[in-house]
Amino acid sequence: MEVHLKDLFARFQEQFGSGPGLGPSCGTCLLKVEGAPPAFIKSLFRAAAALFRTEPWKRLRPRHMFGIRIGKDTDWSNKKQLFPCAQFIGGDGGDLGFHLFKSEQDAMRMTGVRETNRVPNVEVLRVLFDQEPLLSPSNKRMIRSLALESSGPDRFPAIDVARCTSTGGLRFRNPTFEELRYVYAFMKAIALVHPLLQWADDSIPRRGRFMNFEPFIETVDVQWPPEVIKGGDLVAVTISHPTSQVYEEKKLVSASAKCLEPPKEELPPAEAMTNWTTLRQCAMCDKEIYGDQSLCCGRCRAVVYCGPVCQKQHWKDAHKGVCGLYRAMMEREEELSIKIFIFPCFVENPCKWLETKGVHQKGMWRRKCNCYSHCPYGLLPVKTSGNSEAWGGLGDGEYPPDSALAGYLNGSSNPTLLSGWSEYYNLRSLPLSSPVSAILSHPLTVHHIVTALAISSKNRLIKGKEVIVHYLGPAGELDWMPAFAEIGHLLNGLGNIQMVMIGPEVPSNLSGTFSGISGRLRVNMVRGMYQEQAPYLSSPHVVVALNCGLENYGSWESAIDLIKSMNVPTFFTETSEISCANAKQVLRGAGLHISHPVTPNPFRSPLQNQAPSSNLPSFSNGFVFGVNT
């Protein structure tokens, strides 16, 4: 009986729709759209989720028509705007979503008092926020396979094009790739614009009364996601209400021209942020704001603001002099991205990223988010000493074995130098879906420094001697000893390493402990400041400080003076180019010469981090440089 009722309801909804909509679609799926890569489908779902969170249905009704202009007419295949009119449906009940029409006349003819009228031979592009049980099987499979973002509790966007036949029936088709680009730009723009609508002076909010808005027209810049950039990476989107609101051509300046060639003394235009949904922080006033509600500098796209007032003030106070530098750094984002891996490498929310890999709150991964911040570094509870448990229960073959690397030597007296992650994963027979590089970045960066950058240390290892490494400022690494064992395995018979981890985060009950992590690596932990503890330690052959943040910590001053007096090869890593630039100034101010220039670290983490107020490319151990080398 229940199955019969379910089928009856489905047929009723298909025939009569729900609320002001046209009913569910019939089998459309974005994976069938020619030219639409999965990455763009993910971007579409993120844009839809950002729009859904602004809750436009609280104020907007179908009779509130919006005019749309996206870029220039010549940007589109028929030399005209694809769907220049929009309305939101569902505010009075029924399906939540919006309709895009090819003309205002079509929109007016199809907008009824209670329901959407079925007008023959009129196409409407629909985005409906359906509950998951109502989605077609193909859409459900697509959402699961691509791990697409939900718009709200159990809601996902369904996108199709509906056409009424001459007999009053409905036909559905998949949108084209070009139409999807149009929808994407509209969703990004309207999410920013519709909250700015103001009630008309003669409108008194009252239950059941249709409310009018003041005439409105606004142009915002929308950034295309990287997978669909065509011509320029920005597009100017103009939203007007009502649709007859006069559009002045002079307002629509080429987005790329505004971004690339702004007048030298004028403020660059503000630009709508990309699909970030986490909290960001204004670079000027430190106000927290959701990413999709933020603005960034339209020239460099690197600095986050809560609004145009803060952008203008920051331009005058600080940003004007560095905007060009930031822009150059942003242009290197593509070059710095490590694209060999087949897991998401942009991290908005660490917990969610870990959940996608099935390792959240497990093993060593507990230090990749803040869920265990209450537990002191180095003291995470350990259920078992097994290597699988340490790697969060990853399957066999998805993490490096706790054993030496057979055949690592190539027959000569010199070790085979690893060029980067591709070679390492191949050497360890790891699948490119394995996320272990996010943790192994620390130990393999140390291995890279000792075997490739610090020549004196490399020569000692070749001769079978010991290399003493002073590792400054450990924190989460104190719980990653199973990962650091890989350093010893990769030496494969060439000397050994004694690593002394020194820093204030070392727990008191671990300070002074000495353990053999592997046959070729021993680690000693010492609590305290380096300049205070160094006199009691064996002299190092190399000093290492990873993700050091030299410009942020006043306590580095004495440590840098000590490094200068010891004249020992010292290598630093920083997360971003701007951090490297600031660090170099600190070192030069202390009288140290940068003898190993700033270079991208081949063993940087593939995960791109998101700083609160900056969009600059940032990776754990992203860049390496050195002094006294």
Side-chain angles (χ1 to χ4, degrees), residues 299-314:
R299 175 188 282 170
C300 68
R301 309 193 312 277
V303 187
V304 178
Y305 302 106
C306 64
V309 175
C310 278
Q311 185 210 9
K312 184 176 181 180
Q313 188 61 46
H314 195 241

Side-chain angles (χ1 to χ4, degrees), residues 93 128 213 235 274 281 298 342 368 376 386-387 406 415 417 462 502 534 596:
L128 301 181
F213 292 106
V235 63
T274 51
Q281 192 175 54
I342 53 176
K368 296 301 288 184
N387 210 29
L417 298 179
I462 291 175
I502 315 144
H596 181 82

Side-chain angles (χ1 to χ4, degrees), residues 587-603:
L587 294 173
R588 286 169 178 163
L592 282 164
H593 173 64
I594 309 297
S595 48
H596 181 82
V598 173
T599 54
N601 175 16
F603 291 101

Side-chain angles (χ1 to χ4, degrees), residues 62-63 65 85 87 101 103-112 117 119 243:
R63 282 186 286 170
M65 302 287 185
C85 184
Q87 67 176 191
F101 300 93
S103 70
E104 184 181 1
Q105 290 72 27
D106 286 349
M108 296 297 292
R109 292 164 63 197
M110 292 191 68
T111 302
N117 300 325
V119 180
T243 55

Side-chain angles (χ1 to χ4, degrees), residues 303-595:
V303 187
V304 178
Y305 302 106
C306 64
V309 175
C310 278
Q311 185 210 9
K312 184 176 181 180
Q313 188 61 46
H314 195 241
W315 174 261
K316 293 179 180 179
D317 292 351
H319 186 57
K320 183 177 180 180
V322 296
C323 186
L325 175 64
Y326 283 11
R327 181 182 164 197
M329 293 177 179
M330 288 292 291
E331 289 174 349
R332 286 191 280 274
E333 183 174 16
E334 186 77 8
E335 175 187 343
L336 293 171
S337 298
I338 300 176
K339 300 179 180 179
I340 63 169
F341 295 110
I342 53 176
F343 53 78
C345 287
F346 186 84
V347 180
E348 289 182 281
N349 185 308
C351 294
K352 288 184 178 179
W353 184 87
L354 293 167
E355 287 172 357
T356 64
K357 301 306 296 179
V359 293
H360 187 224
Q361 298 186 356
K362 295 180 181 179
M364 293 185 288
W365 300 100
R366 288 173 287 179
R367 287 301 183 206
K368 296 301 288 184
C369 69
N370 292 324
C371 291
Y372 274 79
S373 58
H374 61 279
C375 187
Y377 292 116
L379 299 179
L380 281 177
V382 180
K383 296 179 182 178
T384 175
S385 59
N387 210 29
S388 175
E389 178 68 26
W391 285 108
L394 290 175
D396 290 341
E398 290 189 302
Y399 57 86
D402 189 16
S403 60
L405 190 64
Y408 181 56
L409 295 179
N410 59 6
S412 67
S413 59
N414 294 321
T416 300
L417 298 179
L418 294 172
S419 59
W421 287 120
S422 181
E423 186 175 358
Y424 171 76
Y425 267 59
N426 183 59
L427 214 53
R428 276 303 207 182
S429 300
L430 297 173
L432 294 177
S433 59
S434 170
V436 295
S437 51
I439 287 179
L440 285 171
S441 172
H442 281 71
L444 264 63
T445 294
V446 174
H447 178 267
H448 175 64
I449 289 171
V450 172
T451 61
L453 304 185
I455 304 302
S456 57
S457 297
K458 175 185 175 182
N459 291 336
R460 289 184 65 85
L461 291 173
I462 291 175
K463 295 175 182 178
K465 296 183 179 180
E466 182 177 72
V467 170
I468 298 174
V469 178
H470 284 184
Y471 189 112
L472 309 188
E477 305 96 297
L478 298 171
D479 293 293
W480 292 346
M481 289 303 106
F484 274 86
E486 191 71 352
I487 295 176
H489 298 327
L490 292 178
L491 293 178
N492 204 31
L494 292 177
N496 57 79
I497 292 177
Q498 177 187 335
M499 185 183 300
V500 186
M501 290 188 163
I502 315 144
E505 299 290 353
V506 175
S508 299
N509 57 333
L510 290 183
S511 184
T513 58
F514 213 118
S515 60
I517 301 300
S518 68
R520 296 283 171 179
L521 174 68
R522 294 178 299 160
V523 176
N524 187 20
M525 298 183 184
V526 178
R527 179 180 177 86
M529 307 303 290
Y530 183 52
Q531 60 272 18
E532 298 171 357
Q533 298 299 324
Y536 308 103
L537 305 174
S538 300
S539 298
H541 298 107
V542 63
V543 178
V544 172
L546 305 187
N547 296 326
C548 56
L550 284 179
E551 80 276 23
N552 296 326
Y553 300 99
S555 58
W556 273 109
E557 183 177 353
S558 298
I560 291 173
D561 289 340
L562 176 61
I563 290 170
K564 179 181 178 182
S565 65
M566 292 191 305
N567 197 31
V568 173
T570 303
F571 291 87
F572 306 90
T573 67
E574 290 280 9
T575 57
S576 65
E577 283 190 275
I578 192 62
S579 296
C580 292
N582 295 335
K584 288 197 299 183
Q585 287 195 9
V586 171
L587 294 173
R588 286 169 178 163
L592 282 164
H593 173 64
I594 309 297
S595 48

Side-chain angles (χ1 to χ4, degrees), residues 143-166:
I143 289 168
R144 287 194 295 267
S145 64
L146 298 182
L148 298 175
E149 181 176 342
S150 64
S151 296
D154 201 32
R155 284 187 181 270
F156 294 89
I159 307 175
D160 61 27
V161 178
R163 183 177 65 84
C164 304
T165 66
S166 57

